[in-house]
Structure formats: structure tokens, C-alpha cells
């Protein structure tokens, strides 16, 4: 009976297009043939499909994050903060989706994963170049990681270019300077290829913004958007670490990292240190 009802509702929709001989379909627009034929298991184990899909979906979300971060950086550089706020808010929402995905992967048990883990060889999520691009975009620049990507010259050159570009935090600090805050010359002439280090003049500027919210509302909003993104990224890292611990314990990662031990260490890193320090000093 349900099927008949559904059919009746469908036939009542007289405007629905059914002839696509000369029109683009939904599947063609999204290139679904290519997308849905990219889940190629290297084992016969049922749960390898889960493992592949989770990581492919994460890469798609990261592609969108990079799209938004690049546009937000450009907007801030051109003193267009309001459009940047929308882009950064979207990044935070995407991050929430990525955090939730660890709960799905956590349904994979150690007994199941060990059945196909050897098929990964030395490949590892540690090698995700898009994740490195996100780290670079947020100011965590580490040139030595480029060695991992020399096999693919296109990716290597892309990362090398990103290494020398200003990060989201770099352009945010430049926005402070444009607003009249005294930022140290050393900080404004920073080598973009280096990992960001906390700066007293930057902290003083952000403190003034937080103490005079009405006078610096746009900068205050920008700061809170940055905190949102770092908070979500650290939540993602924590859930990643706990999921790995749950599935493989303290084994080494397939890519050669120390696994959980490495993932715990990166939890201590701050992308925007002054924005966290000022909370104690307000």
C-alpha cells in the first residue's frame, strides 16, 4: 500500500522532468560515476568500505575548508571583514561534521581493522596534503614535512607555494595594524615560512580589542571566529587521537609515526596563542 501511495504522489507532480536525453542529470552534474567508483577495497573485508568512505568524505570537507579559508584570507587582506566572518563561520560548521565522523569510524573494532590494516602499506592519514594545507593556512608552517610529498610534483609545488603565503592569523594581525594598533615591526615583517610564535605587541592589541568591544566590534568578531576554528580543530584532533587509541592502541602508525603518542603531542600546539592567553588577563 505504501508503494501505491508514493506512486500516486509522484504522478500528481505534473511538472517533474523525466526525459533527460538532452539534459544534464543530477548524477552528471555531481560527476557521481567517478565519485562513487572510487571506493576500491584492497581486501575482501566488509569494514574496509567504512574506512575508505570516512577518509574520502573527510578529504572532501577539507577541500571546502581550504576553499573558504583562502577566500577569507583574501577578504581580510582587502579590509572586507564581514564576508570573511560568513566564510569562517562555515568552516566551523564543517569542522563539526568532521568531528562527528570519528564516532562513525569508532564503530570499527580492533579485531576488524587488523584484518585489512596491512593492505594500507605505508599510506596514512598523516600524509594528507590537504590537512597540511589547512595547518599552513592557520599558521603552523613546517617545511620539513614537504619531503613526504616529493613523489607528486604538483602537490609538492602547491604546498611549497602555501608555505610562503600569509596565514589567516598573519592577515588578522595585519588587520590590527591597519586599525592603528602598534604591532612590532619584527612581527609585521615575519618570515611566513616559520611557525608562528607569540608576540607581546599582538597580545596587547587583542587585549585592547576585548576591553573595548564596542569600539572594535569587527576585530572582536574576527578574534572569536578564530577561536571557534582553533577550538573545533583541537576537538577534531582529540577525537582523532581517542579513535586511533580505541582501534589500534599504542601501535605505530602505518606511515611510521608514533601513532597515539604523536597525536597527543600535537594537542599542546596553539595556532592563535594570544587569543587564549588574554582570557586569563582580562
Amino acid at each position: 500500500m505504501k508503494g501505491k501511495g508514493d506512486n500516486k504522489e509522484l504522478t500528481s507532480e505534473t511538472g517533474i522532468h523525466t526525459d533527460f536525453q538532452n539534459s544534464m542529470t543530477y548524477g552528471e552534474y555531481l560527476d557521481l560515476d567517478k565519485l562513487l567508483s572510487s571506493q576500491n577495497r584492497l581486501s575482501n573485508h566488509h569494514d574496509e568500505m567504512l574506512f575508505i568512505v570516512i577518509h574520502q568524505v573527510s578529504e572532501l570537507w577539507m577541500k571546502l575548508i581550504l576553499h573558504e579559508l583562502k577566500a577569507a584570507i583574501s577578504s581580510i587582506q582587502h579590509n572586507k571583514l564581514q564576508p570573511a566572518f560568513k566564510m569562517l563561520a562555515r568552516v566551523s560548521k564543517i569542522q563539526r561534521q568532521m568531528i562527528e565522523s570519528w564516532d562513525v569510524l569508532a564503530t570499527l573494532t580492533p579485531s576488524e581493522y587488523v584484518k585489512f590494516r596491512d593492505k594500507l602499506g605505508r599510506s596514512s592519514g598523516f600524509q594528507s596534503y590537504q590537512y597540511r594545507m589547512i595547518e599552513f593556512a592557520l599558521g603552523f608552517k613546517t617545511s620539513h614535512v614537504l619531503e613526504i610529498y616529493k613523489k607528486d610534483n604538483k602537490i609538492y609545488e602547491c604546498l611549497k607555494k602555501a608555505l610562503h603565503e600569509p596565514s589567516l592569523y598573519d592577515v588578522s594581525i595585519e588587520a590590527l595594524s591597519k586599525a592603528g594598533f602598534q604591532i612590532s615591526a619584527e612581527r609585521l615583517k615575519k618570515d611566513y615560512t616559520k611557525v608562528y610564535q607569540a608576540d607581546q605587541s599582538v597580545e596587547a592589541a587583542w587585549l585592547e580589542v576585548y576591553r573595548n568591544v564596542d569600539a572594535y566590534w569587527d576585530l572582536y568578531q574576527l578574534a572569536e571566529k578564530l577561536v571557534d576554528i582553533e577550538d573545533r580543530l583541537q576537538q577534531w584532533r582529540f577525537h582523532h587521537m581517542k579513535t586511533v587509541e580505541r582501534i589500534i592502541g599504542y601501535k605505530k602508525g602505518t606511515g611510521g609515526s608514533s601513532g597515539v603518542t604523536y597525536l597527543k603531542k600535537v594537542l599542546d600546539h596553539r595556532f592563535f596563542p594570544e587569543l587564549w592567553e588574554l582570557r586569563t588577563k582580562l
Side-chain angles (χ1 to χ4, degrees):
M1 293 297 292
K2 183 178 178 181
K4 290 181 179 179
D6 288 345
N7 188 54
K8 184 177 180 181
E9 290 174 9
L10 179 60
T11 55
S12 69
E13 292 290 328
T14 56
I16 291 178
H17 297 289
T18 58
D19 182 0
F20 289 93
Q21 293 302 315
N22 298 304
S23 300
M24 178 176 63
T25 65
Y26 170 81
E28 289 168 339
Y29 173 69
L30 294 176
D31 210 359
L32 289 182
D33 276 352
K34 185 184 296 182
L35 183 66
L36 298 179
S37 62
S38 298
Q39 294 72 47
N40 302 306
R41 289 182 293 165
L42 298 182
S43 74
N44 292 320
H45 198 279
H46 173 84
D47 294 302
E48 189 181 358
M49 181 63 74
L50 163 68
F51 191 83
I52 292 170
V53 168
I54 286 291
H55 288 85
Q56 287 184 342
V57 169
S58 293
E59 291 293 335
L60 284 172
W61 280 131
M62 284 191 277
K63 182 173 184 176
L64 184 53
I65 285 176
L66 288 167
H67 177 72
E68 299 297 337
L69 287 178
K70 183 177 180 180
I73 288 170
S74 177
S75 290
I76 295 168
Q77 286 177 312
H78 290 89
N79 300 316
K80 297 177 180 178
L81 296 187
Q82 289 298 326
F85 296 158
K86 174 65 179 294
M87 297 160 190
L88 297 178
R90 182 174 291 161
V91 168
S92 294
K93 294 295 185 182
I94 297 166
Q95 289 176 298
R96 173 53 58 193
Q97 293 295 316
M98 293 180 69
I99 293 166
E100 297 279 339
S101 73
W102 291 122
D103 289 340
V104 183
L105 187 59
T107 64
L108 180 68
T109 69
S111 299
E112 293 161 347
Y113 183 46
V114 76
K115 297 290 179 58
F116 63 86
R117 188 178 188 235
D118 65 313
K119 297 296 184 182
L120 274 65
R122 293 182 178 177
S123 66
S124 165
F126 182 82
Q127 298 150 15
S128 168
Y129 80 90
Q130 289 200 121
Y131 179 71
R132 295 299 169 199
M133 291 282 285
I134 290 171
E135 286 189 330
F136 285 9
L138 298 181
F140 186 47
K141 305 287 186 72
T142 48
S143 59
H144 67 274
V145 302
L146 294 182
E147 294 296 315
I148 298 171
Y149 308 98
K150 281 191 171 180
K151 180 179 180 179
D152 189 319
N153 190 61
K154 183 178 179 181
I155 291 174
Y156 178 79
E157 290 300 325
C158 184
L159 280 161
K160 191 175 178 181
K161 180 175 180 290
L163 185 71
H164 291 83
E165 292 175 337
S167 71
L168 177 64
Y169 202 40
D170 289 324
V171 298
S172 296
I173 292 170
E174 287 166 10
L176 288 171
S177 178
K178 290 175 185 176
F181 290 98
Q182 296 300 309
I183 306 298
S184 67
E186 181 181 297
R187 180 62 196 80
L188 291 174
K189 294 178 181 178
K190 172 184 174 289
D191 180 352
Y192 292 139
T193 68
K194 304 297 183 183
V195 177
Y196 180 80
Q197 300 294 330
D199 183 279
Q200 287 294 322
S201 66
V202 173
E203 183 176 308
W206 284 128
L207 268 169
E208 185 66 19
V209 167
Y210 274 76
R211 286 172 175 155
N212 296 278
V213 172
D214 291 340
Y216 303 110
W217 180 249
D218 280 355
L219 290 170
Y220 173 68
Q221 282 187 291
L222 175 59
E224 283 299 290
K225 290 290 186 290
L226 296 178
V227 171
D228 287 343
I229 287 173
E230 177 159 353
D231 191 0
R232 292 279 170 87
L233 182 58
Q234 293 294 55
Q235 289 181 49
W236 182 89
R237 282 175 160 180
F238 177 79
H239 283 271
H240 181 196
M241 181 270 293
K242 294 306 293 183
T243 303
V244 171
E245 183 179 16
R246 175 172 176 158
I247 297 174
I248 67 168
Y250 279 77
K251 291 188 183 78
K252 275 195 170 186
T254 48
S257 75
S258 58
V260 170
T261 301
Y262 167 78
L263 295 174
K264 284 185 175 180
K265 282 192 295 185
V266 298
L267 286 172
D268 293 330
H269 176 259
R270 293 287 196 196
F271 289 89
F272 317 129
E274 297 90 352
L275 292 176
W276 295 96
E277 286 299 323
L278 69 80
R279 282 155 164 74
T280 304
K281 298 179 180 179
L282 273 174

